[in-house]
């Protein structure tokens, strides 16, 4: 099921580099989310978007920025990567109806040296 | 404060034994709760949601508002159930709050 596609799947880069993680979806959902997953901390929300004109910060947005290029595309950028941003990053979507579950991509494993 | 608590980081059981993964929540409104499963190196996928009251892969979960719990249960564990399990709460209409997850290991 490749309804939510993340690229790249893995990335190793150096401190200070700018990095963009991309997410595209074919589910037709308006809502898109970026999370990071760290061992013992679960999933934490970085940013979320309800449509191309509505972008909101999550609980850990510092050091990150996003762009909603279209309903189907939501990119996450690290302007100047630092080692503690090493994590597994997930994109997710959900429909607009109340009580809808989220649908996740395969994740991007990011390592910052 | 809105919160989801999964008290066990790791739960090991033998094949054929019953499984209960605990989830407690803190939420002032009427909660909508979900269980997600993440198999090794795979994406998170929805396992079940309380509103549908269904059984998926033999798992069930009952919402207990008095105890503010939504524990995940299966009467007989199978090796293929080994995975990471996350309990999640939908806060309002858009914000999903996840627990820290429980890793289930089913031993042969």
């Amino acid at each position: 099921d490749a309804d939510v596609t993340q690229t790249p799947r893995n990335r190793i880069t150096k401190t200070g580099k700018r990095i963009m993680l991309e997410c595209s979806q074919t589910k037709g959902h308006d809502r898109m989310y970026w999370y990071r997953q760290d061992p013992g901390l679960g999933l934490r929300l970085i940013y979320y978007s309800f449509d191309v004109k509505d972008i909101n910060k999550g609980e850990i947005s510092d050091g990150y920025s996003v762009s909603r290029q279209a309903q189907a595309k939501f990119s996450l950028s690290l302007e100047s990567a630092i080692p503690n941003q090493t994590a597994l990053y997930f994109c997710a979507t959900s429909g607009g109806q109340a009580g809808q579950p989220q649908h996740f991509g395969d994740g991007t494993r990011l390592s910052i040296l | 404060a809105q919160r989801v608590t999964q008290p066990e980081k790791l739960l090991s059981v033998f094949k054929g034994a019953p499984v209960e993964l605990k989830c407690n929540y803190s939420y002032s409104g009427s909660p909508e709760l979900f269980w997600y499963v993440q198999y090794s190196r795979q994406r998170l996928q929805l396992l079940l949601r309380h509103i549908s009251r269904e059984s998926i892969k033999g798992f069930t979960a009952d919402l207990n508002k008095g105890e503010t719990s939504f524990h995940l249960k299966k009467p007989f564990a199978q090796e293929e159930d080994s995975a990471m399990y996350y309990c999640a709460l939908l806060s309002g209409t858009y914000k999903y709050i996840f627990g820290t997850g429980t890793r289930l290991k089913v031993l042969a």
Side-chain angles (χ1 to χ4, degrees):
Chain A
D1 182 356
D3 290 342
V4 183
T5 304
Q6 292 184 234
T7 56
R9 292 294 309 278
N10 293 280
R11 178 80 184 270
I12 301 173
T13 191
K14 295 182 178 179
T15 299
K17 294 290 188 181
R18 184 178 187 275
I19 302 157
M20 179 179 286
L21 309 182
E22 300 191 2
C23 177
S24 62
Q25 53 114 347
T26 58
K27 300 190 76 68
H29 288 165
D30 288 323
R31 300 178 181 189
M32 298 187 74
Y33 306 75
W34 275 104
Y35 292 91
R36 64 177 281 176
Q37 182 185 40
D38 297 277
L41 297 178
L43 275 77
R44 293 182 291 167
L45 182 63
I46 305 172
Y47 270 94
Y48 62 98
S49 169
F50 285 173
D51 63 41
V52 293
K53 296 181 181 178
D54 186 358
I55 293 177
N56 304 277
K57 293 183 177 181
E59 57 184 305
I60 55 163
S61 59
D62 287 349
Y64 302 94
S65 62
V66 291
S67 173
R68 185 83 184 263
Q69 299 96 325
Q71 188 211 30
K73 295 182 182 295
F74 192 36
S75 301
L76 176 72
S77 293
L78 288 69
E79 296 301 325
S80 179
I82 55 177
N84 74 1
Q85 292 177 311
T86 293
L88 185 56
Y89 289 84
F90 284 102
C91 175
T93 73
S94 69
Q97 299 90 348
Q100 292 298 302
Q102 290 184 306
H103 300 263
F104 287 83
D106 286 325
T108 295
R109 189 168 296 278
L110 179 61
S111 296
I112 300 163
L113 307 177
Chain B
Q2 298 157 1
R3 185 168 52 244
V4 174
T5 303
Q6 293 180 252
E8 303 140 327
K9 287 188 177 181
L10 174 64
L11 181 64
S12 297
V13 301
F14 284 101
K15 178 182 173 182
V19 174
E20 182 179 65
L21 300 170
K22 292 184 171 19
C23 173
N24 289 91
Y25 66 91
S26 173
Y27 185 63
S28 57
S30 183
E32 296 197 47
L33 290 149
F34 306 84
W35 276 100
Y36 286 85
V37 61
Q38 186 181 26
Y39 300 103
S40 180
R41 297 192 173 277
Q42 293 187 26
R43 65 177 68 185
L44 277 84
Q45 52 188 286
L46 179 68
L47 182 61
L48 53 81
R49 44 193 295 201
H50 92 271
I51 198 170
S52 57
R53 300 186 63 81
E54 55 195 343
S55 173
I56 304 293
K57 299 184 180 183
F59 285 97
T60 59
D62 291 318
L63 177 61
N64 185 323
K65 291 187 178 181
E67 295 183 359
T68 60
S69 67
F70 188 55
H71 302 327
L72 184 68
K73 299 178 182 179
K74 185 170 183 176
F76 307 104
Q78 300 173 332
E79 289 182 75
E80 54 265 34
D81 295 329
S82 294
M84 194 77 177
Y85 291 81
Y86 289 97
C87 182
L89 166 71
L90 178 56
S91 172
T93 59
Y94 67 87
K95 185 176 179 181
Y96 298 81
I97 299 171
F98 286 82
T100 52
T102 297
R103 182 168 299 282
L104 175 64
K105 284 191 176 180
V106 181
L107 308 171

